Amino acid sequence: MRSNIQITMLAVLLAVFAVQAVGGIWNNAATYDEVAHLPAGYAYIRKGDFRFNPEHPPLVKMLAALPLLTMEIPPVEQNPHWNSNNEWLFGRYFLYHSGINADNAIFLGRLPMVLLGILLGFLVFKWSQEIYGTGAGLFSLFLFCFEPNVIASSQVIHTDLGFSLFLVLSLYLFWKAMQEPSRKRFILAGMSFGLALSTKFTALILIPVYLALILLYLFEDRAAFAFRRFLFRKEDRLTLRLRLYFALSSFALLLLTAMIVLIISYGFTSVGRYFDGLSFVLDHNRKGNPAFLFGMYSDSGWWYYFLLAFAVKTPIPVIIIFASALLSFGRDLFKNFKTPGNFYLLIPVLLLLFFTAAGRINIGLRHILPVYPLLFIFSGRLFSFIGSSTSKANSTSLIIIFALLLWLLGSAIFIFPHHLAYFDELAGGPSNGYKYLADSNLDWGQDLIRLKKFLQEEGEDSVILSYLGSADPNYYGIKYQYLPGYGLNSPQDYRIKFKRKEFVAISATNLQSVFFNTRDTFDWLKEKEPCARIGYSIFVWEISKDREAHRNLARLYREFGMPDLSKKHEKSAANEKEW
């Protein structure tokens, strides 16, 4: 009976996760990278051509593109940008100008991401259950199912969620293999490592992780006196050599299997693209990327970027649970060094944080997404510890844990369906998120369809637009006058006519001038209260009778070398008759 209840709870939690993920997909326009990822994945499948989007390995993009095989899509070689090697032009034409239903294609492409999220959730439950018990497994799964950053990553076609799944799976299977060694187990671990390599270049971090875990394996049962025994007792030296031989030979088998999987993912003959992409990513990391953090700007990032992003993007109850689990672990560490599974969870977290801190690409919390499922699993120890005692203090602790879970549930309900834009109470909620972070932390082009609905409600179909995104506003019937910003890589300078009201709409990242040479491009607008905020990522101002706004627009267009539009707004500022 108890087993049936647990299975039901597992199924219900995973179903609720799926409902949140799928429900949040509706009305989300293609996020910035999806316009490149989905068409590239389709080209990989149809033509075996891996030219597009080499900066990410192909596996997840191919999984996302599989449902598109059910659609009637013109042959990709008919795309006028097929021979251009420009993934953005190819992708925009594929989605918005080839005659297919772009919204249906994006929706279908996102469904495999939801499935990957469900599989990751089950894996979180499974590993936590095996270490700490079924109750702890359900506790870990609850944290997973209502964490907004995890849900958001399950709604977009990108490598981060798939990488998290395959990284955690690799670690889990490696843990199982080290517990009960066999050739089959190490081959399975190697296959999952190969899937991780085929998803994201960051998977290479697993090599030092494996080596660290092997070192732990060599000494874990003799932590206090290993070296003394190793130095002075011959039989212990022999034992250590045998353990070392076993560990390294197993590691070699794992690496060989992973390389075979990687080669298969590139269709055998195109694995060279992997190294091209890796070279691109390393060069990108060397050069850095414009970034925004708590009002600061940098092209080389900050070592503490992901720590601060984690602090303001993670629900506070989750942070409290993580911290409590770490305190519990620290207390127990010296009592019992052999804590099965804990180091397999914490060492990857520490190394991932270390390598991302050393990097120069600070564009989104999603780059440390695998930290979340690993810490969810680890947090199962907290529930296990509290639930193992019947003392009054532990009864109080259970009440506190229950209250924290309710807080997390409330956070998930509040942010739905805008999970990508979640910010916790430390940041003042999602409405204030743009003051602290930008780019894929908040503003990834997802709210374009909601902007269209806003304009319709206002009786307008035109807008002056600075949009951070690669989706096509024209596809949604938005007539726009291009306002300088990052995105919209084919600007349209419509001499638009407003019916009733003149609106300026600016994406949050552009509003903060993250990708501009000067950081005060839109400061004159920040001083004005927007008339609307579209899904937390697009700010809208009405400037119908605002001469100052028109003067500033005239200045901007003049600075960006667009004299005709500058003259238009000079006339509006002077209250002259427009064209």
Side-chain angles (χ1 to χ4, degrees):
M1 180 68 176
R2 184 176 180 181
S3 177
N4 290 337
I5 293 175
Q6 292 168 347
I7 292 173
T8 300
M9 292 177 67
L10 170 63
V12 168
L13 284 172
L14 291 175
V16 170
F17 173 82
V19 168
Q20 293 178 92
V22 175
I25 288 175
W26 297 107
N27 291 325
N28 275 358
T31 55
Y32 202 101
D33 290 356
E34 286 180 306
V35 172
H37 286 185
L38 185 61
Y42 187 80
Y44 301 162
I45 294 173
R46 281 298 193 190
K47 303 299 292 183
D49 192 319
F50 294 86
R51 286 178 296 119
F52 295 112
N53 199 237
E55 59 265 37
H56 298 284
L59 180 59
V60 166
K61 291 175 283 185
M62 294 174 73
L63 292 175
L66 279 175
L68 270 61
L69 299 179
T70 63
M71 298 178 64
E72 292 187 10
I73 298 177
V76 291
E77 59 270 27
Q78 292 181 9
N79 188 311
H81 305 286
W82 173 248
N83 295 316
S84 70
N85 290 337
N86 188 316
E87 63 204 51
W88 303 104
L89 294 178
F90 173 78
R92 281 169 64 87
Y93 185 91
F94 178 93
L95 287 171
Y96 302 112
H97 303 286
S98 66
I100 70 171
N101 187 311
D103 292 334
N104 285 350
I106 292 292
F107 179 79
L108 289 174
R110 287 169 174 167
L111 290 180
M113 304 301 104
V114 177
L115 178 59
L116 293 179
I118 293 171
L119 292 175
L120 179 55
F122 178 78
L123 182 57
V124 165
F125 164 79
K126 179 68 174 172
W127 199 351
S128 181
Q129 178 197 40
E130 292 191 19
I131 302 175
Y132 309 114
T134 301
L138 291 171
F139 173 72
S140 297
L141 178 60
F142 189 97
L143 297 177
F144 175 90
C145 288
F146 294 102
E147 209 292 319
N149 297 291
V150 172
I151 299 170
S153 293
S154 301
Q155 297 171 334
V156 296
I157 303 163
H158 214 284
T159 57
D160 304 296
L161 184 81
F163 171 56
S164 299
L165 169 62
F166 297 128
L167 179 139
V168 176
L169 180 61
S170 301
L171 292 168
Y172 170 73
L173 292 174
F174 187 69
W175 172 66
K176 297 286 284 186
M178 296 297 282
Q179 281 190 316
E180 301 177 35
S182 72
R183 185 179 294 108
K184 178 182 177 181
R185 288 178 183 270
F186 281 106
I187 289 175
L188 288 174
M191 290 174 64
S192 59
F193 180 32
L195 294 175
L197 289 172
S198 304
T199 300
K200 197 176 180 74
F201 293 112
T202 314
L204 290 168
I205 196 178
L206 279 169
I207 294 177
V209 167
Y210 288 141
L211 293 175
L213 292 172
I214 287 172
L215 184 64
L216 177 66
Y217 160 79
L218 294 175
F219 295 107
E220 66 178 347
D221 62 344
R222 52 184 73 188
F225 49 90
F227 290 101
R228 180 176 62 82
R229 296 185 65 190
F230 171 61
L231 289 173
F232 295 108
R233 295 186 57 178
K234 182 178 180 180
E235 59 270 28
D236 289 324
R237 291 200 299 272
L238 178 60
T239 300
L240 186 60
R241 288 170 185 167
L242 289 173
R243 289 165 72 89
L244 182 60
Y245 171 77
F246 158 74
L248 294 181
S249 61
S250 300
F251 182 54
L253 177 62
L254 181 148
L255 288 180
L256 177 61
T257 306
M259 289 306 300
I260 293 172
V261 172
L262 180 63
I263 291 169
I264 292 173
S265 74
Y266 277 91
F268 293 98
T269 59
S270 299
V271 71
R273 296 284 181 186
Y274 179 86
F275 299 100
D276 293 340
L278 179 61
S279 176
F280 175 90
V281 169
L282 292 174
D283 187 58
H284 185 191
N285 189 66
R286 180 182 60 82
K287 294 177 179 177
N289 197 88
F292 176 79
L293 176 68
F294 284 57
M296 300 179 291
Y297 299 85
S298 174
D299 289 331
S300 57
W302 305 264
W303 68 265
Y304 49 84
Y305 173 90
F306 290 102
L307 295 178
L308 290 183
F310 183 89
V312 297
K313 288 276 297 171
T314 304
I316 293 176
V318 172
I319 294 176
I320 294 173
I321 289 170
F322 286 166
S324 300
L326 286 170
L327 288 173
S328 170
F329 174 71
R331 186 197 62 186
D332 293 344
L333 182 61
F334 296 102
K335 295 181 180 179
N336 179 17
F337 184 78
K338 290 186 68 174
T339 49
N342 286 319
F343 291 109
Y344 286 77
L345 300 167
L346 292 181
I347 287 176
V349 168
L350 292 174
L351 286 178
L352 184 62
L353 291 175
F354 172 79
F355 282 109
T356 51
R360 306 182 71 184
I361 303 177
N362 293 169
I363 57 175
L365 182 70
R366 59 188 176 85
H367 287 280
I368 61 166
L369 188 69
V371 163
Y372 285 90
L374 292 171
L375 289 179
F376 293 147
I377 297 166
F378 176 76
S379 295
R381 78 183 320 276
L382 183 65
F383 185 88
S384 177
F385 170 76
I386 293 173
S388 64
S389 174
T390 57
S391 68
K392 184 176 180 180
N394 278 3
S395 297
T396 302
S397 297
L398 282 173
I399 293 173
I400 294 173
I401 289 293
F402 184 70
L404 291 173
L405 294 182
L406 285 179
W407 187 355
L408 174 61
L409 177 62
S411 298
I413 293 172
F414 168 77
I415 197 61
F416 182 89
H418 306 290
H419 302 97
L420 183 67
Y422 177 81
F423 282 80
D424 63 25
E425 291 82 354
L426 290 173
S431 295
N432 288 319
Y434 76 101
K435 299 176 183 177
Y436 301 97
L437 296 167
D439 210 279
S440 60
N441 294 299
L442 165 73
D443 172 25
W444 221 2
Q446 72 273 14
D447 287 317
L448 186 65
I449 297 175
R450 295 184 180 92
L451 175 62
K452 170 62 177 178
K453 290 187 176 182
F454 166 79
L455 293 173
Q456 287 178 328
E457 291 170 358
E458 294 291 331
E460 285 290 344
D461 58 5
S462 302
V463 65
I464 301 170
L465 181 62
S466 178
Y467 170 59
L468 181 91
S470 52
D472 189 347
N474 295 313
Y475 182 82
Y476 296 104
I478 298 176
K479 298 177 182 178
Y480 69 96
Q481 175 180 298
Y482 174 72
L483 183 60
Y486 189 80
L488 283 182
N489 50 21
S490 54
Q492 303 293 320
D493 297 336
Y494 285 104
R495 297 183 177 183
I496 55 178
K497 294 290 185 180
F498 291 96
K499 298 176 181 177
R500 298 173 57 246
K501 301 176 181 178
E502 295 182 68
F503 289 112
V504 173
I506 304 178
S507 293
T509 304
N510 289 340
L511 181 64
Q512 296 290 19
S513 304
V514 177
F515 297 102
F516 288 86
N517 292 326
T518 57
R519 306 304 187 186
D520 59 353
T521 304
F522 292 116
D523 280 4
W524 55 277
L525 270 177
K526 292 180 187 178
E527 299 171 359
K528 304 174 183 291
E529 184 66 26
C531 64
R533 298 187 183 188
I534 312 299
Y536 303 111
S537 75
I538 299 178
F539 292 70
V540 182
W541 289 265
E542 184 188 351
I543 60 166
S544 303
K545 300 178 181 179
D546 191 334
R547 293 188 180 185
E548 180 189 358
H550 283 287
R551 280 193 293 269
N552 279 293
L553 286 172
R555 174 183 56 80
L556 266 182
Y557 282 119
R558 185 167 58 252
E559 291 174 356
F560 280 89
M562 306 171 79
D564 289 346
L565 289 173
S566 179
K567 291 177 182 178
K568 174 183 178 180
H569 288 284
E570 286 174 356
K571 291 182 178 179
S572 295
N575 203 26
E576 296 180 14
K577 185 177 179 180
E578 294 186 11
W579 302 327

